[in-house]
Amino acid sequence: DEYSNVYPGYKNKFTTITNGNDPDDFLSIKPNKIVEDKSLILTGKFILYTPELVSGLFEALKEINQLKFIYVGSEHREIIELAIKHEVEDRVVSIAYQRYSESLDLISGADYAMTTTGLVYGMGTKIFDYLALGKPTICFVPKGSIIKLEFDDIEQVVIQESPYSQASILQGLEKLLSIRSIPSSNRIEAYSRVNASQSLAIILNEVASEKS
């Protein structure tokens, strides 16, 4: 959409293939459950993308006694400092950046997942791992987000649009906690990189056919 708005005369020349997951990455997963309570995991950036959300999430944790938040990424020191500031350090586990395979083990051991972005066209890669591993996922996104457009029809995905309030954050989390694990489906398997590669091959074939 961004490119076609800049070059409207070439609108039909732009095609998007989403990120996805590689099924081979999940063949040797060993679920790593590090807390006894129900857990909500976020891997990657959090403060950088949605700094206004961190305080709201930590305050919401005070209202949901059975839920702990697991953060995995390069902001682990800042996350634990903020957890202490909000007096929820007993509800937060903050882990330094892990290798991809180890992150998948931690995601697999968690009960729920969370992704955030401040960009309308920001999708990232984490949500594909969350869904492939069967984790009900809450997405905190701006209005008009591509994430809402792409995933809002999946029953196990909860979309919360900015601006966020304490009530909306809590409402989203409570809805998430009512969802069971995601069953395998063609809808989720469609994000396999095998299918993405097939889509690219079709596009390349069309380009080659036009040239010939």
Side-chain angles (χ1 to χ4, degrees):
D1 287 347
E2 288 177 313
Y3 287 136
S4 62
N5 287 336
V6 176
Y7 304 103
Y10 299 92
K11 187 171 184 177
N12 64 330
K13 296 291 186 180
F14 297 106
T15 299
T16 299
I17 299 173
T18 67
N19 283 320
N21 57 71
D22 190 340
D24 289 346
D25 291 335
F26 306 111
L27 295 179
S28 58
I29 283 181
K30 298 177 181 177
N32 185 4
K33 185 171 178 61
I34 59 175
V35 299
E36 294 184 1
D37 293 332
K38 294 291 184 180
S39 57
L40 171 68
I41 192 168
L42 183 154
T43 61
K45 300 293 186 182
F46 185 9
I47 301 172
L48 177 66
Y49 294 153
T50 48
E52 74 281 9
L53 181 62
V54 183
S55 296
L57 174 68
F58 287 171
E59 288 299 315
L61 288 176
K62 296 177 181 179
E63 306 294 327
I64 309 177
N65 294 327
Q66 75 272 28
L67 183 67
K68 286 191 176 181
F69 176 65
I70 300 173
Y71 172 80
V72 183
S74 59
E75 298 172 333
H76 64 286
R77 289 190 178 89
E78 293 93 330
I79 291 294
I80 199 62
E81 288 173 359
L82 287 168
I84 293 171
K85 177 182 177 181
H86 288 274
E87 300 180 338
V88 289
E89 61 269 31
D90 60 330
R91 313 298 305 165
V92 176
V93 178
S94 190
I95 302 172
Y97 174 83
Q98 302 289 299
R99 291 181 301 176
Y100 181 57
S101 60
E102 294 170 343
S103 290
L104 290 179
D105 290 344
L106 288 164
I107 294 169
S108 184
D111 298 289
Y112 308 95
M114 173 175 155
T115 188
T116 72
T117 182
L119 301 174
V120 170
Y121 290 107
M123 184 179 291
T125 60
K126 300 300 181 183
I127 190 170
F128 299 99
D129 292 334
Y130 297 157
L131 296 181
L133 289 170
K135 304 304 168 183
T137 301
I138 187 167
C139 306
F140 290 96
V141 298
K143 288 188 180 297
S145 168
I146 189 66
I147 288 181
K148 179 176 175 61
L149 180 65
E150 185 72 25
F151 299 106
D152 197 33
D153 64 329
I154 297 179
E155 185 177 346
Q156 292 85 357
V157 174
V158 177
I159 305 290
Q160 291 295 113
E161 295 181 305
S162 61
Y164 311 114
S165 66
Q166 198 62 47
S168 69
I169 294 171
L170 189 59
Q171 181 183 41
L173 291 174
E174 289 174 342
K175 182 177 180 181
L176 181 73
L177 294 177
S178 70
I179 300 174
R180 297 181 179 180
S181 296
I182 300 174
S184 178
S185 69
N186 292 335
R187 178 73 170 82
I188 295 169
E189 291 170 1
Y191 296 114
S192 161
R193 289 195 176 123
V194 173
N195 289 328
S197 299
Q198 182 184 35
S199 298
L200 178 59
I202 291 171
I203 293 169
L204 293 174
N205 187 59
E206 290 176 353
V207 172
S209 298
E210 288 181 5
K211 286 187 175 181
S212 61

